[in-house]
Amino acid sequence: MGKPTGFVEWPRVAAPRREREARVADWREVEGHHDAATLAQQAGRCMDCGVPFCMQGCPLGNPIPDFNDRVWRDQWQTAWRRLDATNNFPELTGRLCPAPCEAACVLALDGAPVTIEHLEKELAERAWREGWVEPQPASARLRTGKRVAIVGSGPAGLACAQQLARAGHLAIVYEAADRAGGLLRYGIPDFKLEKTVIDRRLAQLVAEGVELRCGVRVGTEPTWDRLRAEHDAVVIAIGAGRPRELEVPGRDLDGVMLAMEFLEDGNRAVATGGAARHDVRGQRVIILGGGDTGSDCLGTSLRQGAASVAQLELMPQPPTVRGAGNPWPTWPLVLRTSSSQEEGGERGFALRTTGLVGADRRLTALVAERLDPALQPTGEQVELPCDRLILALGFVGPVTGDLVGQLGITLDGRGNVAIDRTSATSAPGVFACGDAHKGASLIVWAIALGRETARHVDGFLRGGPSWLPARGVDQPF
Amino acid sequence: MPGLYLPSTERDACGVGFVAHVKGEKSRGIVEDALAVLGRLAHRGACGADPDTGDGAGITLQLAHRFFKAEALRLGFDLPRRRRYGIGQVFLPADAGARAACERVLEEAVVEEGHRVLGWRDVPHRPEAVGVTARNVMPVFRQLYVGLRRVPPSAYERTLYVIRKLAENRVREGALDPSGTFHVVSLSTETIVYKGLLLPHQLAAFYPDLSAPTMVSAIAVVHSRFSTNTFPTWDLAQPFRYVAHNGEINTLRGNVGWIDARRSQLRSAKFRGGLERLAPIIVPDKSDSAQFDNLLELLTLGGRSLPHAIMMMIPEAWEGNLAMDEERKSFYRYAASLVEPWDGPAAIVFTDGSLVGATLDRNGLRPARWWQTSDDRVILASESGVLDLPADKIVAKGRLQPGRMFVVDTSEGRIVADDEIKRDVAGRFPYGKWLDKNVFEMDELDAAPPAPAIGGDELHRQLRGFGYSDEDVGLLIAPMADTGKEPTGSMGTDTPLAVLSREAPTLPQYFHQLFAQVTNPPIDPIREALVMTLETNIGPDGNTFDETPESCHQIRLPGPFLDNTQLAQIAAIGEGAFETRRLSTLFAVADGPSGLRTALDRLCAAASAAIEDGCNVLILSDRGVDAKRAPLPALLALGAVQQHLVATGTRMEAGLLVETGDAREVHDLAVLIGYGAAAVNPYLALDAVAELVERGDVRGPTADAIARYLHACDDGLLKIMSKMGISTVQSYRGAQIFEALGLADEVIARGFAGTPSRLGGLDLAALAVEALDRHDRGFGRQAIAITDELPVGGRYQWRRRGERHAWNPASIAALQDAVERDDRVRFGEYQRLCDEPDDALVLRDLLQVVPGTAIGLDEVEPVSAIVKRFVTGAMSFGSISAEAHETLAIAMNRLGARSNSGEGGEEPHRFEPEADGTWRRSAVKQIASGRFGVTTHYLVNADDLQIKIAQGAKPGEGGQLPGPKVDERIAKVRCSTPGVSLISPPPHHDIYSIEDLAQLIYDLTAVHPRARVSVKLVSEVGVGTIAAGVAKARAGAIVIAGYEGGTGASPLSSLRHAGIPWELGLAEAHQVLVLHQLRGRVRLQVDGGLRTARDVIVATLLGAEEYGLATASLIATGCVMLRKCHLNTCSVGIATQDPVLRARYRGKPEQVVAFFTMIAEEVRVLMAALGARSLDELVGRTELLAPRADRTGKAASIDLTRLLHKPAGVARFVAAEPWSVADHLDHAIMAAAGDALDGGKAALVTLPIDNTRRAVGTLLSGEIARRHGARGLPDGTLRVKLTGSAGQSFGAFLAPGVELSLEGDANDYVGKGLSGGRIAVFPPRDARFAAEDNALLGNTVLYGATSGELFAAGQAGERFAVRNSGARAVVEGVGDHGCEYMTGGVVVVLGATGRNFAAGMSGGTAYVFDKDQRFAAKVNRELVELESLVDESDLWLVLGLVEDHVRLTGSAVGRRILDNWELMVARFVKVMPVEYRRVLQARRAAARPRATILPMAVS
């Protein structure tokens, strides 16, 4: 149970990051490693709470105190087994999750939660290194012969496919892109997630019997209804790909682009070793949107050699400590600094873009008005010169035209795929998971919902209760 | 009974005594003395709602031939000569028809047995002498005269017994006595009993016979009863035919059950026509004392002497007694194979008309003192001073010691010593040789290969299949195997009852352990290990009447838990006397749920067949579970077989062993023993240990780890037994000391008959579904779950995917947010989370409140009136930090509500409000078994003095505050030494019975008459009965705690398995109090897991008037249920003393105020909806509650009818009836003291005293503390000289400046809670006995004393200076357990000590004058070492104290020592606690000035 007094003896030591100069010079992962002793101490800080809020904070319900304890006791393999039992891709969440678990950690009351996410990543990496991550194919006895199509190979689709395969079904993943991984593949820069991490995991899935069919545009060929007809069940895991647009004059100027276009281009270039079409070397870059995607654009811009980068947000600058209505263990609405933001660039808050200025159809400046804390215009106008504007304004939902047209899928009020308590859509035998139904969210939710949907699909296929492990009851704080 | 009241839970305790003439001279004097003794024991009895109706009083006398002969002649018939006739004292029904029928039956039985009815005599009586209640149910009193013929004199009593049994059985079977009045009080040629539902002083007035000049006797036994019940029953008054009993039989259910099981084996040639026609031997539905008398009578009439029979039924603690001779041990060991000990606190007085004697149980938990006079009288009684005897007539006096017997044989005309009696009995046969020949020790059995360990994947399948969780292995088994101890947890339990759980709990989870409270004390299994034993036998049991070598054919086991090797050895026995057979307890999965029932039938048939084949050891085994075969719940299999064999009369022909994968935690094992298993082999848990060793989670080697695991199980079983006050596994076995919750009558009838199960619940089919569900996890579909991990469990710690908890992240976060911001919307969310779980979590979730006619919110009483009823839980300063403790106090004072100090004292600076109105005082001050910081000053600064009998988290157990948590501040308030561990004993050592509790309530009332005295009990079946007793003991309030609550550290198995939810306990207490017309006397308070306004309303409707919210109020201050209270590492600064962590504390009184205010506001809203203007209008209104109709699943099987039963009568508090202290002796002292109490002139007061004058000095000490605070008066201000025998609690809580000097003797509890005063006791100057050889003081002297001095020129009883933390004392001899749990102070013993000296003594020092060098063997060395006196300071200390002793008491032995000081000093032995010495040395070193080198001055 960790060391009872560990949290008093050892301060929190966050995941180390490589030196700024070194890391902007290449595309390799920013995060470094602690030595084993430090990791053990950090795990030993866990208090093994009677009510581990972290576990409620984690949508996957990872057994956080249990694996912390094992790491503390130098039983890494057992720790790994615990983690592996609830999280299909801890090497991904260990890198990409914003760690609501840490926000809910009881030690976060004093601002120094256990470094759960980093421990998760280290645990996963060690497992891969040691060869503990092995294919876990369903035994022949358990094979059902049922075929399930999972459309979309993001974390939700892959988690769902893996669970279904382990339960004995034939899981076939359809992906429109040339390689599997969804957003992970081309949406996340290598400095946060090196792509070998995805590949080794995909290999495990394949070894477990998951079939990956890339370059298949479901909706076009095959159509959704045909896909449904050819499988015992279909899972929609297409993500929430519709970007939020900037509706101001000048949007059509050259130099204005969506974050995903920019990132995909950059990431493909890294993957192939070629040049990026939208390279921003020497340019003045403005990124609209202060979220993770915006930060990814920022990091990419810095690495491509932008002359300057500014990241602008509509919202005012958040406080540095929790406000009264935002108590522990809820997600803290405070100012955060991403690794990319550490690396450079400027940040602007409370700015609403009112227009874009161009010359020769090329973008030259952004015009914005300053807002007060109530988000009302103050009357102050600013004009920021720039050559490139990247829109990282978030996503508004899945692309659903074909789904509605071909399967008659019902959508919810926000345009997401509507599902019932068993993850079933309005079309018989068709299920949905991940962002496609939840709207754009965290990778940890994607995995969690993928697992949950797999359980329901398993139950559906068997006509009885599924005994795939459940996520546990969600009771938000 | 439609409600929750079970008459079988009734308890009684009492005062007993006898007066006898050693030479057998009959006289009126003996009778009159005995009646006088009875009158002086009146305060040990009780009366119920009717002040003139007692619980019972009576007297046993020898048959006064002249008296009865004269009466017979007067009635027109003659009597034969002495002993050729018997007289029956008979209670007959008032109804003429029924009466005639009963008389006819008796007469017929007399004739049938060949004797004749001489006539009947109407017993004169005066109905006006008794109370209305007693009169209303008064029987008709008649005496039957039986002339005896044709039998040898030795069979007289036997034939009369047969007549009585036949008559009783026929009346019962023929339903001839619907009122249940018929009762043959006595029928004997030797003795006659006069008794009734009387107060002691009414006895002689009621029966004029007793005053007749010719009513003479040489022996008179008296009894005054204090019963928890008030259902008036004349027949349960005592004495019974052979005994008068002060005490309680804890193992009663088992004892009666085993006698029943033996029925077919009971054979005695001495009973004409056999015993079968006399069955039942033990008359059902009578008190434990009555049933004890039943068996004792049979054993005696079967040919054993009374002392012999008593030795069999109440053996002394012989197992670990090194000093006992082998012959006697052999006797006890042999007797153990014939009858199980009747275990429990007992002082028993017995007589057969020529022999009269008394004995105490092995623990000596009841007092008995005796005197012998120069005119050959012997008086023995529960108290000293019950008869005014001139000092110069007393030739010897003493007290009965634990397990000892004291007999006066009037036919031989002498007192027979314990040793002689027992030597005679033990020497009757060569028991030792018989045992050698017929009893096999484990190491005499041939070796046999154990079953190979199950490992790897198969182990995991098996573990899953038996329903093991990750917690079972990681949190329970691993620590046990690693440390040999049961793991500890904190913060109670908040998971559903098994019957509300969705996790398919194993069957033992449906059983809750019972525990002792008030009517008998739990035992400390660690410090008082000498009275406990795990030794057990397997094999057939012999005829209880036969004393033959073959009767003890047994295998002896050192303990009831077997490893695989031991089991294999037993299983392999197959020749000669023993024949073993394994019976499989598996059933086919394919048969589905109905397969369970047929499998049980098959199993029972197989068991019978095995016995038929001559097998005498049956092993019920569930080895071999696979995909096709699932295990029957082991407990059900055992229960069914046990019951089947009892029913067929063959149970005693074989021992039952259980080999099971089911048992993993101590509770599982205990339940199996409790339902009749002789031994258990928990093979799967052992295999899990092996795997833990292999994985490196537990240190090896495997054999050692398994031994440690089993050792932890042993200790755990001892603890579970000790909670109930049971000392031996043999009497625990089959005693069924459990209550079932959630099992249908069908299940109970099948395997657990006699176990209360008051809510109905799962039937066999439903249990089968759960069994198959568990099996499926290991071998069915559930096994495909992707990893080999076990299910998470989540019973002890909240886990997603685990068991549900009431306190979960969402509810905690919502509550904290709501109180932090005083946000009603958020508070509403919190209440919804608690009140509307998605599936029922607690019993009240199954209820709905029936809406009434709503009224306006403005008509409802204000928040300020409601919050007054709220209290926080008892949490000691020590268990929680000063910051947290004071936050609660400040908040509750601000609200006008009450906080509770807990048992750790309180810093005096908190007693007065501060200038800004902040008041840190706890209104409720707790008096717990440790008595930490319980000074007079502490007591007088309370509004409510709460006696904590038990706590929800671990009822029946003591506690320990580890040394590191005892810092300077805590040590100061607890009157102890920093760094030294503090141990709270399991029982209050001044409460072994209900009359003891009454005494403590009296003491507290005396010290602070204006405070209310409340008593905290924990829910269990029978708590209502105890509550009735508490009400009769004049408490002002009763707290019923549920098992859920609890903030303290506790063994994990105790957190969950002891006690039951508050709903049941509260409803039972309320119902019983109403039924007994006692409800109006007391307020009822409830706690243990209350969280919301709805909880408050439901509690009110079930009968509560006040509400404790402990955990919830802690959470309001920031507790996040880390459940680490026992580790001192609370990260939010609450349950810790670490200054670093305390600095993290963020709680504010405002949060607590907001919490209780919002609860009260919501309560008002609910009240308005119910149409209630005040909470009082809702108390006990169960008609406003109804079972929810929308219950599904397991919850639907629960029957709440009895919970909601509403008896007629006054249903809420009306007025308290506290003890009156108006006639307290202290008033006379104060009147004579002038202005001394105001600090004026010193005064000397001289008064006589007798044993009815209790707690002398206490009342005036309370007054002194109120006027002068803790400092009291200057030394020598008030001196009081008293002459006579002092009543109990002499000098309790005596304040500084008061000196009591008593010439005479004193009873129990002298100097209890001594707070600075001085007490000197010495025998009368004209006494003829040597002071140092005689009993001067009773038991439990200086309990919880914090300062002051005691000098006693004579011996004291058991537990001298128990939990003393500061007093200095000199005494000339002490009984067993001297200086137990002492933490400070100095005790000098100038004579012999009893056994187990210094057990649990963590501080203070004792100096024992070890004249004959026998002391060392009597010391419990767990915590102390012995030294000789070399240190100068020691020498001066002892010399000074002995000088004071001689000066104040005139002690002869003291003077002899002083006269030869140089010589004598070498014989003193110093008893020094090791930890205490270490701490003292460290402090001395720290205080020593360090040599420092000054820096050279630089010029």
Side-chain angles (χ1 to χ4, degrees), chain B residues 477-486 686 689 693 697-715:
Chain B
I477 296 175
M480 286 164 78
D482 205 39
T483 66
K485 292 196 183 90
E486 255 197 288
L686 301 182
V689 171
V693 173
D697 283 350
V698 164
R699 69 207 157 86
T702 303
D704 291 2
I706 285 177
R708 283 192 297 267
Y709 170 78
L710 290 173
H711 177 75
C713 293
D714 283 346
D715 281 355

Side-chain angles (χ1 to χ4, degrees), chain B residues 776-996:
Chain B
D776 195 51
R777 290 181 208 160
F779 299 93
R781 292 264 313 278
Q782 297 183 55
I784 70 156
I786 302 171
T787 66
D788 59 354
E789 295 296 311
L790 297 174
V792 64
R795 291 190 294 159
Y796 299 99
Q797 293 176 309
W798 179 90
R799 285 287 186 269
R800 270 172 94 129
R801 290 179 288 273
E803 187 56 273
R804 294 168 298 143
H805 286 250
W807 292 117
N808 54 51
S811 59
I812 295 171
L815 174 58
Q816 294 189 339
D817 192 19
V819 300
E820 170 76 37
R821 296 189 289 138
D822 205 4
D823 182 335
R824 269 127 191 94
V825 176
R826 194 78 165 107
F827 192 72
E829 286 172 29
Y830 157 71
Q831 298 216 96
R832 267 192 300 285
L833 282 169
C834 295
D835 293 339
E836 299 164 22
D838 50 334
D839 208 350
L841 198 81
V842 287
L843 283 181
R844 54 192 178 278
D845 293 341
L846 305 175
L847 294 168
Q848 59 191 17
V849 179
V850 182
T853 313
I855 56 171
L857 196 55
D858 52 338
E859 293 179 63
V860 178
E861 63 182 326
V863 164
S864 59
I866 291 168
V867 291
K868 281 192 172 57
R869 297 165 178 267
F870 292 149
V871 295
T872 59
M875 293 171 279
S876 70
F877 170 47
S879 72
I880 62 175
S881 63
E883 292 79 4
H885 205 259
E886 292 180 17
T887 299
L888 293 173
I890 293 168
M892 295 314 261
N893 286 330
R894 205 177 285 172
L895 282 165
R898 294 173 173 194
S899 63
N900 190 323
S901 67
E903 77 154 307
E906 193 163 291
E907 293 170 294
H909 73 81
R910 293 170 56 179
F911 291 167
E912 299 302 325
E914 287 157 33
D916 63 356
T918 304
W919 200 10
R920 298 167 197 271
R921 185 195 78 149
S922 300
V924 186
K925 297 268 195 299
Q926 211 173 44
I927 293 91
S929 64
R931 302 290 158 94
F932 294 109
V934 179
T935 64
T936 317
H937 190 220
Y938 166 87
L939 292 173
V940 299
N941 279 286
D943 299 334
D944 187 342
L945 293 171
Q946 182 176 88
I947 301 170
K948 180 183 84 174
I949 298 295
Q951 55 179 317
K954 47 172 174 177
E957 291 179 54
Q960 186 160 1
L961 192 67
K965 239 176 153 171
V966 183
D967 64 14
E968 286 283 345
R969 205 167 152 188
I970 284 162
K972 190 165 178 218
V973 65
R974 294 196 173 205
C975 312
S976 67
T977 312
V980 173
S981 303
L982 300 176
I983 301 165
S984 301
H988 287 253
H989 279 294
D990 54 355
I991 309 177
Y992 294 159
S993 65
I994 192 83
E995 84 266 12
D996 289 344

Side-chain angles (χ1 to χ4, degrees), chain A residues 1 4-5 7-8 47-53 55-56 58-62 65-66 70 73 75 81-82 85-86 106-107 109-110 136 142 163 166 324-325 327-329 462 465 467-468 470-477, chain B residues 470 475 502 695-697 773 776 781-789 792 796-801 807-813 816-817 821 826 833 838 1118 1120-1124 1127 1129-1132 1138 1140-1141 1144 1146:
Chain A
M1 48 155 291
T5 53
F7 69 98
V8 184
M47 302 189 291
D48 189 30
C49 302
V51 179
F53 286 73
M55 228 173 149
Q56 183 64 73
C58 173
L60 278 164
N62 279 342
D66 299 315
R70 297 295 164 154
R73 285 155 64 180
Q75 299 178 347
R81 279 212 306 273
R82 298 278 156 128
T86 58
V106 172
L107 288 176
L109 272 170
D110 298 275
Q136 302 166 32
L142 290 172
Q163 292 297 95
R166 288 174 180 181
W328 173 89
R462 293 176 188 278
W467 293 113
L468 277 173
R471 216 157 57 78
V473 183
D474 253 324
Q475 282 194 313
F477 303 124
Chain B
D470 198 36
L475 219 64
R502 302 166 181 158
R695 285 208 317 235
D697 283 350
D773 184 9
D776 195 51
R781 292 264 313 278
Q782 297 183 55
I784 70 156
I786 302 171
T787 66
D788 59 354
E789 295 296 311
V792 64
Y796 299 99
Q797 293 176 309
W798 179 90
R799 285 287 186 269
R800 270 172 94 129
R801 290 179 288 273
W807 292 117
N808 54 51
S811 59
I812 295 171
Q816 294 189 339
D817 192 19
R821 296 189 289 138
R826 194 78 165 107
L833 282 169
D838 50 334
V1120 285
M1121 296 288 282
L1122 285 167
R1123 295 181 186 266
K1124 294 287 174 285
L1127 295 178
T1129 59
C1130 178
S1131 76
V1132 291
D1138 182 332
V1140 175
L1141 297 176
R1144 298 161 73 107
R1146 303 246 193 288

Side-chain angles (χ1 to χ4, degrees), chain B residues 1007-1032:
Chain B
V1007 81
H1008 191 20
R1010 275 169 294 179
R1012 175 177 91 174
V1013 179
S1014 60
V1015 175
K1016 178 171 180 172
L1017 306 173
V1018 171
S1019 290
E1020 64 175 329
V1021 62
V1023 73
T1025 304
I1026 291 164
V1030 172
K1032 289 164 78 173

Side-chain angles (χ1 to χ4, degrees), chain A residues 286-309:
Chain A
I286 291 183
I287 300 159
L288 282 189
D292 283 341
T293 306
S295 280
D296 291 349
C297 296
L298 170 63
T300 302
S301 300
L302 291 173
R303 281 169 180 71
Q304 287 181 353
S308 70
V309 193

Side-chain angles (χ1 to χ4, degrees), chain B residues 161-214:
Chain B
Y161 170 74
V162 171
I163 291 168
R164 196 189 87 225
K165 289 301 280 189
L166 290 176
E168 281 174 358
N169 291 353
R170 288 172 190 172
V171 167
R172 191 173 47 247
E173 285 152 17
L176 302 177
D177 173 29
S179 65
T181 312
F182 176 71
H183 175 62
V184 181
V185 178
S186 62
L187 174 56
S188 165
T189 61
E190 301 287 336
T191 58
I192 187 159
V193 178
Y194 283 83
K195 69 178 188 182
L197 195 57
L198 304 163
L199 290 163
H201 71 266
Q202 294 169 340
L203 183 68
F206 185 76
Y207 291 114
D209 280 5
L210 294 176
S211 307
T214 48

